[in-house]
Amino acid sequence: MKTKIYSTVLTLILLFSSITHASFIDFQSEQWVDNALTNKIAQYSLTGDPSKHRTTPSINTPKAQLGKLLFFSKIQSGNFDTACVSCHHPTLGGADALSIAIGVDSVNPDLLGPGRQHRSTAVNYDGGPTMPRNVPTSFNLGFWDRHLFHDGRVEALLPVPFQHGAIGPISTPDSGIGNPDSDAGANLSHAQAGFPITPQEEMRGFSFAQDKSNQEIRDLIAARLRGELEPLSINQWPTLFRQTFNKQDAPLEEVINSAIIREVLGEYMRSQSFVDNRWYQYIKGDKTALSLQEKRGALKFFADRFEGGFDCQSCHQGDLMTDEGFHNIAMPQIGRGKGDGETGTHDFGRYRETLLFRDAYAFRTPSLLNVEMTSPYGHSGAFNTLEGVIRHHMDPFYSGVLYTYDGPQPNIQQADRRANTYEALWTMFFQQAMGLSKLKSPYFYGSTDINDLASFLRALTDPCTQNRECLEPWLVDDDIDPDGLRVHAVDSNLNPL
């Protein structure tokens, strides 16, 4: 029965999608487009400065510098084979350029990005990545005020604008949704920094601290940095932490503990502020900062359907270009899921936290700043190109039904992956019918629309993210190696990243 329904829907989708589209925006003069964009900028109160009213640390502050050294060290990994930077390298857009990340048990721990592979003898290895989701970028992490992670499981319970969770309590997986976590730290970045070391497939590994709670794992890592857990041939961490916090005579447990580790890692990530792009220059008055195609793309992004646009701003709002909300756009699933559903291969997204139907298969709206640098796209890493993910937004049913993926895949049945995608699609349909979705698809569109929108999105790139020399302050080329456990990052050709 379901097969007949899918077939009928697919036929209708193909019929509607065959209708050609041309936006009247395409036929307007550049002056007309500039005037229309000026009106949109005023309508949505865009300033071109998402850092306004915010305080983010410089990378040159002592805490951020210490956090950087720790970010590149494998000392927090249970098996000494993975670091934070394994999934969040600055030259890879603050992520890893993989659809689904490979954390522990890699063939070459120094090889990051495309070409990174699991050891065939690794625990739980079944032919594909053991992690369930695509890695979100660490860039501009300090600009979020409500949630972190794809499902928002780290959440500011008093989300005051521009405060990054610094006012009021924060809930985490340790405390449960809606419940304050007294160990979360001073802001969302500090809270988030305590979790990558706890999942087995991410950093903990499948042999270290298997019977321990999340906090016990963090305490063991802190003991390791203090030199109390395992013998380390090199350990300069006590000296560096004492210098950074000016606590030469304090007990070492007061100088190196899980809270302070989270703090310095969070400060390094908060220092990764990359918001100098041509769109912001345009907003501030430089009408030559964008090409005509980019301007058309911007107008189509902000205009609604009746104005010749696609109302992308309804979710990608403001200067950060996100509403920090959760939406089901039926992104095709390629990973092994999060253990949800009857087969245990689903990923229910935000529903895992709230148990609300509106949140079924919903994931956090990403910021679009530097989006050119953060492919593959979607919580599942389903699309490698901007054009591909834009087309999916235009018509998720068409995209989802016809979707194919030929990259490395976990060993779950293709039928399961397809069934999971179909369930997300039908759930989205009912959410739309019930008024629980902002998604107004399907849209009629043409190749010019896709190209214009992609061109605009590329204008959101801070040039520093494309320049290794500019990124050097966030790298460790000339920094000391405190424990001999540094990730010396290389690409698939073994060239330094």
Side-chain angles (χ1 to χ4, degrees):
M1 181 64 181
K2 281 188 176 181
T3 302
K4 291 182 179 179
I5 294 174
Y6 294 150
S7 177
T8 301
V9 170
L10 177 57
T11 301
L12 291 173
I13 287 169
L14 291 171
L15 175 63
F16 282 119
S17 298
S18 65
I19 300 175
T20 59
H21 167 86
S23 170
F24 73 88
I25 293 173
D26 297 333
F27 307 108
Q28 305 303 319
S29 69
E30 186 163 10
Q31 183 62 56
W32 185 94
V33 174
D34 279 329
N35 291 339
L37 266 182
T38 298
N39 292 335
K40 287 297 179 185
I41 289 168
Q43 178 182 349
Y44 296 118
S45 302
L46 303 178
T47 69
D49 184 8
S51 64
K52 190 175 183 179
H53 307 305
R54 295 186 184 276
T55 301
T56 53
S58 164
I59 183 56
N60 296 316
T61 60
K63 290 180 183 179
Q65 285 291 304
L66 180 59
K68 177 176 72 169
L69 298 179
L70 190 55
F71 201 83
F72 278 77
S73 172
K74 299 189 287 285
I75 196 169
Q76 290 194 97
S77 172
N79 298 332
F80 295 100
D81 68 350
T82 314
C84 302
V85 78
S86 300
C87 295
H88 298 282
H89 196 279
T91 66
L92 296 175
D96 64 356
L98 298 173
S99 290
I100 300 175
I102 295 174
V104 300
D105 296 327
S106 62
V107 173
N108 180 356
D110 288 336
L111 198 164
L112 308 186
R116 184 175 174 87
Q117 297 178 331
H118 279 291
R119 289 187 288 108
S120 59
T121 57
V123 176
N124 280 15
Y125 178 72
D126 56 13
T130 58
M131 290 175 66
R133 294 175 178 165
N134 178 257
V135 171
T137 178
S138 59
F139 286 178
N140 300 321
L141 191 71
F143 293 169
W144 294 84
D145 292 323
R146 304 182 69 88
H147 312 93
L148 293 181
F149 292 119
H150 286 300
D151 53 18
R153 60 188 183 272
V154 169
E155 179 174 5
L157 300 182
L158 187 62
V160 178
F162 312 115
Q163 297 303 310
H164 191 50
I167 296 177
I170 295 172
S171 68
T172 74
D174 287 353
S175 62
I177 185 171
N179 299 314
D181 182 348
S182 59
D183 295 320
N187 56 52
L188 290 172
S189 290
H190 295 183
Q192 178 272 342
F195 287 94
I197 65 173
T198 59
Q200 292 176 311
E201 66 276 3
E202 194 163 351
M203 290 183 70
R204 174 160 57 118
F206 295 90
S207 59
F208 178 78
Q210 295 303 295
D211 58 344
K212 305 296 183 182
S213 69
N214 286 350
Q215 187 55 45
E216 288 173 329
I217 293 169
R218 297 183 196 109
D219 290 339
L220 287 173
I221 296 300
R224 178 185 282 176
L225 266 73
R226 294 194 297 264
E228 300 169 1
L229 191 60
E230 300 113 334
L232 301 172
S233 57
I234 304 171
N235 188 1
Q236 296 179 279
W237 294 115
T239 299
L240 291 171
F241 274 83
R242 288 190 184 280
Q243 291 174 347
T244 298
F245 288 90
N246 194 24
K247 292 184 176 181
Q248 301 300 330
D249 301 320
L252 197 52
E253 290 83 354
E254 182 181 324
V255 179
I256 303 179
N257 55 55
S258 63
I260 289 178
I261 289 172
R262 292 168 87 156
E263 179 180 358
V264 297
L265 287 170
E267 293 304 280
Y268 169 66
M269 288 185 286
R270 287 205 309 133
S271 77
Q272 296 180 344
S273 174
F274 300 105
V275 295
D276 181 14
N277 62 58
R278 292 186 292 111
W279 168 236
Y280 289 163
Q281 294 168 18
Y282 183 91
I283 290 176
K284 294 173 183 177
D286 182 2
K287 301 306 181 187
T288 67
L290 300 182
S291 69
L292 177 56
Q293 183 182 41
E294 290 165 344
K295 293 175 185 180
R296 287 201 313 259
L299 188 54
K300 292 175 182 180
F301 185 96
F302 288 99
D304 63 32
R305 186 192 302 261
F306 300 104
E307 297 171 313
F310 302 99
D311 202 24
C312 308
Q313 68 77 36
S314 64
C315 295
H316 295 282
Q317 298 172 359
D319 289 307
L320 191 58
M321 307 193 82
T322 173
D323 61 359
E324 295 201 48
F326 300 88
H327 307 284
N328 176 14
I329 60 170
M331 189 64 65
Q333 181 180 324
I334 62 176
R336 64 184 61 249
K338 293 281 285 185
D340 299 328
E342 294 182 2
T343 63
T345 61
H346 284 275
D347 185 347
F348 288 162
R350 181 64 174 167
Y351 178 87
R352 293 170 52 82
E353 305 298 315
T354 67
L355 301 180
L356 297 173
F357 177 72
R358 71 182 182 206
D359 291 327
Y361 296 101
F363 295 85
R364 188 185 65 163
T365 307
S367 167
L368 296 180
L369 302 186
N370 306 304
V371 66
E372 176 185 10
M373 304 301 296
T374 59
S375 68
Y377 302 111
H379 76 276
S380 63
F383 294 96
N384 291 319
T385 67
L386 285 172
E387 289 80 2
V389 75
I390 292 170
R391 286 191 182 93
H392 178 79
H393 280 73
M394 293 292 193
D395 194 340
F397 267 98
Y398 180 82
S399 173
V401 169
L402 297 185
Y403 180 81
T404 58
Y405 173 73
D406 59 3
Q409 303 180 28
N411 189 23
I412 69 170
Q413 295 297 317
Q414 174 69 25
D416 282 344
R417 284 195 297 274
R418 187 166 293 278
N420 296 348
T421 299
Y422 284 164
E423 286 203 27
L425 284 167
W426 286 112
T427 300
M428 182 192 72
F429 172 80
F430 286 113
Q431 289 166 337
Q432 288 180 308
M434 296 169 65
L436 300 175
S437 173
K438 286 186 177 181
L439 199 63
K440 299 180 176 66
S441 63
Y443 286 94
F444 297 124
Y445 65 92
S447 59
T448 298
D449 299 316
I450 302 299
N451 294 334
D452 287 354
L453 287 166
S455 181
F456 167 62
L457 294 182
R458 292 187 176 98
L460 305 177
T461 303
D462 185 328
C464 186
T465 65
Q466 299 174 313
N467 185 322
R468 194 184 192 283
E469 183 177 353
C470 184
L471 290 171
E472 197 278 332
W474 290 272
L475 303 174
V476 290
D477 296 342
D478 300 319
D479 296 89
I480 63 170
D481 185 351
D483 50 22
L485 294 170
R486 172 162 297 160
V487 169
H488 297 281
V490 297
D491 63 19
S492 59
N493 296 317
L494 303 184
N495 296 317
L497 283 177

